[in-house]
Amino acid sequence: MSVTGAMYNINATTKLSEQELKQGVQGDTSMSWHHQFKHSSYIFVSGLNQKMTEGDVIVVFSQFGEVIDVNMVRDKDSGASKGFAFLAYENQKSTILAVDNMNGYQLVGRYLRVDHVMDYKAPKEYDEDELDSDGDPVRKEYKATGPEGKGMGIYNQTDSQKRIASTQDGRARDLAKMQGEIKDADDDEAWAKSFEAAMKAQEEEDELAGLLAKYSVGKKR
């Protein structure tokens, strides 16, 4: 039985990665097939369930690095997802991890095809309210969506991310409180040991003074 279409591409990419794994080739070296894409931080993801949103895609793929841009291709009229997207990472090496780990992965009942993008072409958007000298709409400057779809470097804006951040802050406060309690306990223990040592030194000094007095050591006759 022959394999065609998307599954052929999935299997071909998987085979390349498996061969490198057997040969002990690292994905970020010049010997790797990934090396030809070292200039691009974009990956292509297809086979997405059409109910998935940009946020869903980011959640899945952010385990491999900081996502800085996601472009889910949608129908211009209905706005429905076409089942594929382009995604960019802050660190190019994250693309290697994503391709090696997510290509052929079954997500929400569908197999994903994940591959590198040689030359990503940003989508063209035009401002109908601003016209050039020829009377044509001016093309808008493309801006990366950022990890939450609100722009580069903008975090904790979506409701889901706010909940995650709140949970993380709570855990950090609990940890800091626990560490403070441990430090206080350590300080108390150190003080107790210091006090005990001082008392022992005083007892030894008193005992020595008693002996000196008993034998009149250091006194003139």
Side-chain angles (χ1 to χ4, degrees):
M1 180 178 178
S2 62
V3 179
T4 59
M7 286 307 299
Y8 176 84
N9 292 323
I10 290 173
N11 292 340
T13 302
T14 301
K15 188 174 181 179
L16 286 172
S17 298
E18 288 177 346
Q19 288 176 344
E20 289 192 351
L21 186 62
K22 290 179 181 179
Q23 296 169 0
V25 176
Q26 297 294 322
D28 58 352
T29 66
S30 58
M31 296 176 62
S32 171
W33 74 274
H34 295 284
H35 187 70
Q36 61 187 305
F37 303 100
K38 65 178 182 178
H39 65 283
S40 174
S41 293
Y42 276 89
I43 59 173
F44 170 75
V45 184
S46 66
L48 293 168
N49 186 294
Q50 291 183 317
K51 292 183 179 180
M52 292 184 67
T53 66
E54 287 83 350
D56 296 329
V57 174
I58 290 175
V59 168
V60 172
F61 283 88
S62 61
Q63 61 185 304
F64 306 108
E66 178 83 5
V67 176
I68 60 173
D69 189 27
V70 59
N71 172 25
M72 180 176 284
V73 181
R74 295 179 174 276
D75 182 88
K76 291 183 178 179
D77 296 325
S78 67
S81 167
K82 291 188 175 182
F84 64 94
F86 297 90
L87 182 146
Y89 284 103
E90 184 177 37
N91 188 328
Q92 193 276 335
K93 291 182 179 180
S94 296
T95 65
I96 299 173
L97 294 173
V99 171
D100 281 348
N101 286 279
M102 296 303 292
N103 181 61
Y105 186 85
Q106 188 174 8
L107 182 67
V108 198
R110 301 189 64 178
Y111 287 97
L112 300 182
R113 177 196 169 193
V114 182
D115 206 347
H116 294 281
V117 175
M118 181 66 77
D119 295 303
Y120 177 71
K121 293 180 174 58
K124 297 179 180 180
E125 294 185 2
Y126 295 90
D127 188 346
E128 299 293 340
D129 296 327
E130 185 176 353
L131 307 179
D132 60 17
S133 57
D134 295 325
D136 297 320
V138 174
R139 182 177 176 180
K140 294 181 180 180
E141 178 185 359
Y142 181 74
K143 296 182 180 180
T145 63
E148 296 180 32
K150 302 295 183 178
M152 288 287 291
I154 299 178
Y155 303 93
N156 301 333
Q157 297 299 308
T158 61
D159 291 339
S160 60
Q161 191 58 39
K162 285 179 181 178
R163 287 194 294 270
I164 292 173
S166 178
T167 301
Q168 291 176 336
D169 289 343
R171 288 176 179 174
R173 286 194 297 270
D174 291 342
L175 179 59
K177 181 180 179 181
M178 183 176 67
Q179 290 176 336
E181 290 174 351
I182 292 174
K183 183 178 183 301
D184 290 342
D186 290 342
D187 290 344
D188 290 343
E189 184 178 356
W191 179 87
K193 288 182 178 180
S194 176
F195 180 77
E196 185 179 348
M199 290 295 292
K200 186 175 181 180
Q202 185 63 48
E203 289 175 0
E204 292 176 349
E205 185 178 337
D206 291 344
E207 184 179 358
L208 178 60
L211 289 172
L212 292 176
K214 181 177 181 180
Y215 295 102
S216 300
V217 178
K219 291 184 177 180
K220 290 183 179 180
R221 294 184 182 275

